[in-house]
Amino acid sequence: MRIILLGPPGAGKGTQSERIVQRFGIPQLSTGDMLRAAVAAGTPVGLEAKAVMESGGLVSDRIVVGIVADRIEEPDARRGFILDGFPRTVAQAEALGEMLASKGLKLSAVIELKVDEAALIGRIENRAAETLARGQAVRKDDTPEVFKQRLEAYRTQTAPLSAYYAQKGMLQTVDGMQPIDKVTADLMAVLEPHAEAVAS
Ligand code: AMP
């Protein structure tokens, strides 16, 4: 089962991905998490990505496609995966298509979490407050100023992916403004028919 979860920053992709991981036992491949780990470890990729991430822009397709290509070769991704935050440009979507085709694999589902953009700033402020309350460090790009840049990057570079996958007849949408559990239930309803593929 190979799933792409689309949606703007703050739409709930991370939260919902965790639940999909629990239900289907496939790994969540979050390019944001992988890049943050590379930045923390000070690897060459991290050094190149750091400033772009802190400004709310997108890291180059070359870097991101490279880390995904390596990651999906890992044994735990053989039975499938959920991509969270990738692809983020049409070029990345095309690279992913080629990567999968070269292995004889196909995507099972592309699901977009539809949200009201005006509500997202409030969500991101909540996320920062909750993180602080847990005594954890807030992501540097979860400030309102940088968040607006991330939203802008989404609008111009990532939103066209909805049309890209819709044209291929692959796009399904879920209302991401509903309570978290209802969003999960709707996602599961889309994914359950593909569950058999997990066993293969
Ligand atoms: P996220 O955790 O998905 O919100 O990603 C955090 C940041 O990492 C983004 O604002 C980008 O700077 C970078 N990033 C994550 N995934 C990608 C991607 N697929 N393409 C380019 N940049 C990415």
Side-chain angles (χ1 to χ4, degrees), residues 9-20:
K13 299 189 297 295
T15 304
Q16 297 298 335
S17 293
E18 278 169 27
R19 294 175 172 205
I20 294 169

Side-chain angles (χ1 to χ4, degrees), residues 31-32 35-36 53 57 59 64 85-86 88 92 139 141 150:
T31 42
L35 289 166
R36 278 185 287 278
M53 291 175 76
V59 175
V64 181
F86 180 93
R88 250 187 171 90
Q92 291 179 13
R139 276 171 54 173
D141 60 355
R150 290 166 59 203

Side-chain angles (χ1 to χ4, degrees), residues 9-10 13 30-33 35-36 49-50 52-61 64-65 67-68 84-89 92 127 139 141-142 146 150 153 158:
K13 299 189 297 295
S30 156
T31 42
D33 285 350
L35 289 166
R36 278 185 287 278
K50 188 171 189 281
V52 180
M53 291 175 76
E54 285 177 2
S55 70
L58 290 189
V59 175
S60 78
D61 290 336
V64 181
V65 168
I67 59 176
V68 172
D84 162 10
F86 180 93
R88 250 187 171 90
T89 63
Q92 291 179 13
R127 178 154 93 184
R139 276 171 54 173
D141 60 355
D142 267 357
V146 180
R150 290 166 59 203
T158 309

